[in-house]
Amino acid sequence: MSTAAPYTTIIGLEVHVQLMTRTKLFCGCSTKFGGAPNTQVCPTCLGLPGSLPVMNRQAFDLALRAALALDCTIAPFTKWDRKNYFYPDLPKGYQISQFDLPFSSDGTLEVVDPKGAFEPRRVGIIRVHLEEDAGKSMHDEAAGTGDTRIDLNRAGTPLCEIVTQPDLRSPQESRAWLNELKLLLVYLGVSDCNMQEGSLRVDANVNLHIPQADGRVAKTPIVEIKNMNSFRSVERALVYEAARQWEEWQATKAEMGKTPKQTRGWDDPAGITRAQRHKEESSDYRYFPEPDLVPVTVTAEQIASIRGEMREPPVSLRKSLASKWTISAYDADVLVNQGRELVDYFEDLATRVGEGKVASNWMQQDVLRILNDTNSTVTAFPIRPAGLADLIGRVVKGDFDTSRGREIFAEMVTSGRPVDEVVASMGISAVSDDDVLALCRELLAANPKIVADVKSGKEQAAAGLIGQAKKKNPNVNPGKVRATCIDLIRAME
Amino acid sequence: MQPLEMSAVDLVAALRQGDITAVQCTTVFLDRIEATNGTINAFLTVDREGSLVRAADIDARRKAGKPLGALAGLPVALKDVLCTNDMPTTCASKMLKGFRPPYDADVVARLRQADAVFVGKTNMDEFAMGGSNENSAFGPVRNPWDLSRAPGGSSGGSAACVAADMAPVAIGSDTGGSIRQPAGLCGITGLKPTYGRVSRRGLVAFASSLDQIGPMARSAADCALIMETIAGHDPGDSTSLSVDVPRYTDLLDKPLSGVRIGRVPEHYAEGLDPEVAKGVEEAFAVLKAAGATVHDVQLPHAKYGIPTYYLIAPCEASSNLARYDGAHYGHRAEPGGHAKKAGGFESPLVEMYCRSRAEGFGPEVKRRIMLGTYALSAGYYDAYYAKALRVRRLIRQDYLDAFQSVDLVGGPVSATPAFKLGEKTDDPLAMYLVDLYTVGTNLAGVGGISFPCGFTKSGLPIGFQLQAPPLAEPLLLQAADRFQRLTDWHRRRPKAAGEVKA
Ligand SMILES: [Zn+2]
């Protein structure tokens, strides 16, 4: 662990998330993923001569929602800037972004590990700003010509850039924080945060603070890591990079400021970071205010209306879920971390079952297990809360024991049929109280030794009766048999 | 009267009354273009076939009693900086040679909707950068009043075609004087509206915060007619103003009595041609006679107009013209043996960029891209661009202050009448000074109009300029129209162009 390491790892993240708008940031083209190349384009996102941008207010409002959820200060006046650079997937030769007056700044997002793997960490957000995405370059190596093909479907898609303070102290913590950020943005409907489709991208800035014998703290040069395509790669890249910087420090004693900031790309298969060309990092983007767009003003009323539409964020939902359903903070955390849909499912179930703890146990031990095994989501889960509540109710009532209940549950998942049908098809029938009584009398008569043992105070001897009861009637509830037998023996005295 | 000599207002009326058909009218102008364009070089594209089809369609609809637009059958020439989906749009640059936009500029769409007939696209300084039309990649335009002289620029083709009767009306664009200065040098009337009055969508951008489209015609009344069609809010241009469009033609009849016109003493400093000064003073006298009063006003920061303009415009241009990189459309250099070792390019991509831009752009465009790129670079931004923006605010404030005490500000359009072709081409700074009296209007975002107020002894037109507060186009047009009711300078036709006809 880093506490034992002779240095502290200092990490800041830069996250780009694609906003869930139907159309692009400055034109009416669709943002749908996966269309045939260059089919979702128009003069504006193609950067044709004479075309002009018009801001998509929905994108701005979604970005405001994200910034509010991150406790940012919202600027009453914000403007757009041009970031100038040449690249084939940037058809205008500049990206419309925000430079010195981002629409929001100075927020926080805390991450807590319920198992206490690290101390709760409140991470400062320097700024959140809006910008348009570039297109995609695809190097056509298959054709062997070395041609590059450009797809501009993505050009102009709204992106929210979230820049943190260097407040993170370990790769593990960074990954957990990213999970928390993703959870928040997905809860609020700001982004689907799908890394495979490029709707969430992370760059990390990392260096080491190394206490010196003279009390001074040496700081290694900051390295920006790019090309990480999962939170797992972020964690791995940071682990690698911290170790690499430590080695380099021991060899060179090079400190921050004496060498320029370096950009390194994460090579996932190789598990290493590689230095990228200097050219790419020393760009002068010649930012200046975008003259084709007017500044945006945000009023207190607009902020209030966006706040009013916002759903409860994970951090407060964990608390409210725990107190409303009297479940543990850990249980609430597990449920909330699965996403809004699962929480909705749970609350529906708990309401029907009438008891939060029982519903939570079934969710965690049974529903989540299936979801994980099948790598699916609760919205696609074949048993709806009403059906599951029916099953749980009968188990609670004692119609089936828990293990029988689980068998029925498994069959309900596979067949998608309700409890009654599954029970019938499995040949299970509920055993009446009279049948249980008759069975127990029969067993006691046949097992005088056990009866004597129980009489002498060894109640555990009754367990010997359960197996025999199950053989005679597999549908019988063992708990009920045990209780009935003991009651009958006591009554003999 | 012959169509070539008729005003746009009269032509539209004659077409409406059936005195002349759209095909007849279009043919007359097409023939005139055919006869004179070889000499004047005002048009880069002439759409004989398309315009005749359109004219025939208008005639057919008129015959069938179907409703027609306000300009039905009127021939209109478009500066080649306006996107047209049926004609090339080149900006007079090799970079966009043969480029066909897939869409119409908002102004073009409005004119089409009004049933105007586009006879062709007019020559200009490349990407609207210049004041003489000599920066066109397709050859300079000649001034119809003296074929050895420049028509001004950048809307030189639009100005010359109206002056030479090749079209009754042309559309131009004005970033620092590009409508008013050539209008002045060619003896026609040109209006630069308030920034945001006319949509810029589909106008190929030079300097986005300064560019504005406007009409160029023989009279203020004709400009008023065109403004009723092209002005108005466009949701596709965020900087377009959401303000109702007045009936400009109806407001022309208001008398000028009581209108206060400002006169800027600094305008008469050294450098102003005495014949121009005299013409301008006589124009003030005419306006006075029409009932206006004349008062001296100050524009204290006017002297910073040129340096301010030549920072802001190139900065925006350097970014606006970044898209012409050979990757997606326009000129692309052929790959040619400039391998890394031989040519010093760091990659084939960079080589393609550098050579496409080196080959596609002319010298003035390159000069301004370099100026702008330099001024926006880290370490220079505050000293140049940011400071220029501050001065721009002061200049705008000067105008707003002046308009507290006067309704209009009048003065010369250019310091001299039309200069010789080639006279200033070796001296970019001298060329930049041709915008001296016009850039202030753009920097302040207000409107201005230029119209002829006399001729030099050698027969060259002298232009007079009026500038007005934001959205005071009705007053600009009213004052210019009143002037034109009292004078006949705007009716004079150039002899040179007449000779060309023979
Ligand atoms: Zn688009």
Side-chain angles (χ1 to χ4, degrees):
Chain A
M1 260 318 292
S2 65
T3 44
Y7 56 80
T8 309
T9 311
I10 309 292
I11 300 164
L13 301 173
E14 229 181 89
V15 184
H16 285 89
V17 290
Q18 182 181 324
L19 300 176
M20 280 212 276
T21 54
R22 228 169 22 80
T23 56
K24 295 185 181 180
L25 186 48
F26 298 117
C27 64
C29 294
S30 168
T31 52
K32 210 163 174 289
F33 179 80
N38 300 309
T39 53
Q40 291 155 210
V41 292
C42 72
T44 296
C45 57
L46 289 174
L48 291 187
S51 63
L52 292 175
V54 176
M55 186 188 82
N56 176 348
R57 184 77 211 193
Q58 196 208 347
F60 193 83
D61 287 350
L62 272 184
L64 271 181
R65 200 190 285 182
L68 287 171
L70 292 167
D71 269 333
C72 286
T73 305
I74 308 298
F77 174 94
T78 182
K79 67 174 173 73
W80 302 95
D81 298 283
R82 289 187 185 176
K83 179 180 180 176
N84 295 285
Y85 66 95
F86 286 95
Y87 206 71
D89 61 20
L90 188 72
K92 296 189 298 296
Y94 57 84
Q95 177 194 31
I96 305 176
S97 181
Q98 298 198 280
F99 181 51
D100 55 341
L101 292 175
F103 78 91
S104 71
S105 57
D106 199 18
T108 58
L109 176 66
E110 191 179 44
V111 61
V112 177
D113 187 275
K115 289 180 184 158
F118 52 82
E119 291 294 298
R121 183 73 68 192
R122 182 171 282 272
V123 177
I125 310 284
I126 297 175
R127 58 188 279 160
V128 179
H129 79 244
L130 250 178
E131 61 186 30
E132 58 174 344
D133 205 349
K136 234 161 83 182
S137 298
M138 286 159 293
H139 299 288
D140 187 13
E141 275 145 20
T145 55
D147 281 0
T148 298
R149 284 156 195 268
I150 310 288
D151 177 7
L152 294 176
N153 283 353
R154 209 178 66 184
T157 295
L159 292 181
C160 215
E161 182 178 308
I162 300 162
V163 184
T164 78
Q165 297 280 3
D167 286 345
L168 289 154
R169 292 293 174 267
S170 78
Q172 183 193 23
E173 205 175 287
S174 303
R175 180 178 179 176
W177 187 86
L178 284 167
N179 275 321
E180 184 66 13
L181 176 70
K182 174 177 169 177
L183 192 68
L184 173 67
L185 297 176
V186 172
Y187 259 88
L188 296 177
V190 167
S191 172
D192 64 15
C193 293
N194 185 331
M195 280 185 100
Q196 272 67 50
E197 294 179 3
S199 39
L200 188 150
R201 283 165 252 164
V202 187
D203 297 331
N205 284 291
V206 56
N207 75 337
L208 309 180
H209 285 191
I210 307 162
Q212 301 299 292
D214 61 3
R216 196 175 68 86
V217 174
K219 298 171 182 176
T220 59
I222 296 174
V223 166
E224 182 175 7
I225 316 176
K226 291 184 176 287
N227 309 337
M228 299 170 290
N229 46 29
S230 67
F231 291 168
R232 190 173 162 266
S233 352
V234 172
E235 186 177 6
R236 288 177 66 212
L238 287 168
V239 166
Y240 172 86
E241 183 57 27
R244 192 197 65 78
Q245 287 188 24
W246 174 241
E247 261 178 50
E248 190 173 86
W249 160 260
Q250 287 172 302
T252 65
K253 302 282 175 208
E255 290 189 44
M256 197 171 87
K258 288 167 193 155
T259 50
K261 177 172 152 177
Q262 197 192 31
T263 303
R264 297 179 71 88
W266 172 244
D267 180 338
D268 202 68
I272 59 168
T273 62
R274 292 180 201 278
Q276 292 188 339
R277 285 187 307 151
H278 275 261
K279 194 87 187 168
E280 288 167 23
E281 51 195 83
S282 57
S283 310
D284 176 358
Y285 292 118
R286 304 189 310 281
Y287 281 101
F288 77 104
E290 163 59 286
D292 287 333
L293 287 165
V294 285
V296 187
T297 50
V298 183
T299 63
E301 293 74 47
Q302 284 169 323
I303 293 176
S305 117
I306 286 169
R307 261 193 220 285
E309 293 161 6
M310 266 163 68
R311 298 193 68 172
E312 196 173 8
V315 63
S316 69
L317 188 58
R318 288 186 185 103
K319 291 193 185 93
S320 59
L321 214 58
S323 71
K324 182 174 171 194
W325 298 105
T326 51
I327 56 176
S328 70
Y330 180 85
D331 289 346
D333 191 66
V334 170
L335 293 172
V336 168
N337 288 0
Q338 298 300 317
R340 184 72 231 184
E341 288 78 11
L342 191 114
V343 171
D344 289 344
Y345 187 103
F346 163 74
E347 292 211 273
D348 189 350
L349 181 68
T351 307
R352 290 167 191 273
V353 171
E355 222 211 303
K357 183 68 194 161
V358 176
S360 163
N361 288 347
W362 275 84
M363 289 300 294
Q364 293 188 53
Q365 285 160 31
D366 303 282
V367 178
L368 274 181
R369 185 176 43 81
I370 302 277
L371 294 182
N372 289 339
D373 289 354
T374 56
N375 197 18
S376 83
T377 62
V378 76
T379 39
F381 192 64
I383 314 178
R384 302 322 302 156
L388 184 53
D390 186 9
L391 174 65
I392 296 172
R394 298 212 216 171
V395 172
V396 169
K397 212 174 95 202
D399 285 0
F400 318 114
D401 63 28
T402 307
S403 69
R404 229 336 133 74
R406 289 231 160 89
E407 287 168 43
I408 297 168
F409 175 79
E411 185 55 27
M412 285 168 79
V413 171
T414 345
S415 66
R417 290 188 298 171
V419 183
D420 286 328
E421 285 181 32
V422 168
V423 164
S425 76
M426 289 170 79
I428 303 169
S429 58
V431 183
S432 75
D433 288 353
D434 288 348
D435 291 348
V436 173
L437 201 59
L439 177 69
C440 290
R441 289 207 168 109
E442 199 186 323
L443 289 171
L444 294 185
N447 295 285
K449 168 103 174 65
I450 294 178
V451 172
D453 285 350
V454 172
K455 270 187 179 166
S456 68
K458 293 199 267 175
E459 277 197 10
Q460 64 272 32
L465 299 170
I466 311 283
Q468 295 182 46
K470 276 256 172 194
K471 259 180 223 148
K472 286 188 186 285
N473 184 346
N475 296 330
V476 84
N477 181 336
K480 217 165 179 176
V481 170
R482 188 175 183 279
T484 309
C485 286
I486 289 170
D487 285 351
L488 285 173
I489 293 167
R490 294 242 165 89
M492 289 174 193
E493 287 166 348
Chain B
M1 206 189 254
Q2 291 304 304
L4 287 184
E5 286 143 32
M6 285 165 73
S7 72
V9 172
D10 290 344
L11 268 177
V12 167
L15 285 156
R16 195 185 303 124
Q17 288 152 16
D19 299 343
I20 182 174
T21 66
V23 169
Q24 285 168 343
C25 178
T26 305
T27 307
V28 168
F29 283 98
L30 287 170
D31 290 349
R32 172 72 179 163
I33 293 169
E34 198 163 284
T36 52
N37 199 46
T39 310
I40 307 285
N41 200 27
F43 283 86
L44 296 177
T45 301
V46 180
D47 188 14
R48 173 172 279 269
E49 202 180 318
S51 58
L52 285 174
V53 166
R54 210 171 147 68
D57 173 61
I58 290 163
D59 287 336
R61 281 189 284 146
R62 198 187 297 280
K63 216 172 158 191
K66 290 192 180 148
L68 288 166
L71 303 177
L74 182 73
V76 172
L78 300 169
K79 185 175 179 180
D80 209 21
V81 72
L82 294 164
C83 287
T84 44
N85 66 20
D86 56 355
M87 283 184 274
T89 299
T90 69
C91 297
S93 179
K94 190 183 167 191
M95 185 58 91
L96 287 178
K97 191 177 178 198
F99 176 72
R100 283 177 176 269
Y103 73 110
D104 275 339
D106 181 68
V107 163
V108 174
R110 284 173 191 261
L111 287 165
R112 257 192 228 285
Q113 191 67 34
D115 289 313
V117 174
F118 302 134
V119 287
K121 306 290 290 282
T122 59
N123 204 345
M124 54 188 278
D125 283 299
E126 184 179 3
F127 284 104
M129 299 179 190
S132 73
N133 219 301
E134 291 164 290
N135 296 333
S136 167
F138 308 114
V141 175
R142 288 171 188 275
N143 191 318
W145 294 93
D146 177 346
L147 297 175
S148 68
R149 290 177 190 269
S154 65
S155 310
S158 290
C161 84
V162 172
D165 297 340
M166 298 155 96
V169 167
I171 306 297
S173 68
D174 189 317
T175 306
S178 283
I179 286 176
R180 291 159 292 154
Q181 184 255 16
L185 300 190
C186 289
I188 65 159
T189 305
L191 174 72
K192 181 264 175 213
T194 304
Y195 185 76
R197 176 76 284 187
V198 178
S199 168
R200 293 184 296 115
R201 185 161 52 90
L203 166 73
V204 179
F206 158 21
S208 313
S209 74
L210 299 161
D211 295 342
Q212 187 61 200
I213 296 167
M216 303 174 79
R218 292 196 197 108
S219 67
D222 286 357
C223 288
L225 176 70
I226 301 303
M227 277 298 282
E228 287 176 1
T229 291
I230 65 171
H233 179 61
D234 172 14
D237 173 359
S238 311
T239 63
S240 127
L241 299 170
S242 185
V243 181
D244 286 346
V245 179
R247 291 280 301 174
Y248 295 105
T249 48
D250 290 351
L251 298 169
L252 294 177
D253 288 327
K254 274 173 70 183
L256 217 51
S257 49
V259 171
R260 301 161 300 170
I261 302 180
R263 180 183 169 278
V264 185
E266 286 79 6
H267 280 165
Y268 303 89
E270 56 171 320
L272 184 66
D273 181 282
E275 281 189 290
V276 173
K278 187 164 163 279
V280 167
E281 283 310 289
E282 283 167 8
F284 275 116
V286 171
L287 291 165
K288 263 191 204 162
T293 54
V294 176
H295 314 265
D296 279 358
V297 291
Q298 308 294 319
L299 296 172
H301 299 91
K303 56 180 175 289
Y304 303 117
I306 290 289
T308 303
Y309 175 82
Y310 278 97
L311 278 168
I312 291 173
C315 283
E316 293 183 12
S318 69
S319 173
N320 282 332
L321 272 66
R323 68 190 67 198
Y324 310 109
D325 59 6
H328 300 272
Y329 50 80
H331 179 74
R332 179 190 290 188
E334 292 300 323
H338 294 260
K340 186 166 180 151
K341 266 179 258 169
F345 295 107
E346 64 176 69
S347 71
L349 175 67
V350 172
E351 177 187 355
M352 191 275 283
Y353 282 158
C354 292
R355 291 186 44 231
S356 298
R357 288 168 71 81
E359 294 167 11
F361 290 137
E364 184 57 32
V365 171
K366 286 179 190 162
R367 188 175 297 120
R368 297 200 195 185
I369 289 173
M370 285 189 283
L371 275 173
T373 303
Y374 179 85
L376 286 177
S377 295
Y380 299 100
Y381 182 91
D382 289 331
Y384 295 121
Y385 186 71
K387 190 181 271 181
L389 287 186
R390 285 197 294 277
V391 179
R392 179 178 185 174
R393 278 192 290 275
L394 294 173
I395 289 172
R396 179 172 168 83
Q397 197 54 51
D398 279 357
Y399 274 93
L400 299 181
D401 291 347
F403 290 130
Q404 294 290 316
S405 57
V406 294
D407 303 301
L408 296 166
V409 170
V413 184
S414 311
T416 67
F419 45 90
K420 291 270 186 193
L421 286 166
E423 189 181 320
K424 296 178 197 280
T425 42
D426 295 333
D427 187 352
L429 287 181
M431 193 69 99
Y432 291 174
L433 288 172
V434 305
D435 296 328
L436 185 63
Y437 301 119
T438 48
V439 290
T441 321
N442 303 75
L443 290 167
V446 300
I449 195 167
S450 151
F451 52 86
C453 64
F455 283 81
T456 63
K457 283 190 205 81
S458 57
L460 295 172
I462 298 168
F464 186 75
Q465 173 176 234
L466 286 171
Q467 298 166 94
L471 294 173
E473 283 81 14
L475 184 57
L476 282 175
L477 291 163
Q478 178 203 342
D481 178 66
R482 185 61 49 171
F483 183 91
Q484 289 175 337
R485 291 186 195 195
L486 297 171
T487 58
D488 71 347
W489 307 116
H490 64 292
R491 285 189 219 284
R492 300 212 179 169
R493 316 308 317 146
K495 249 196 239 118
E499 283 157 8
V500 173
K501 198 171 161 186

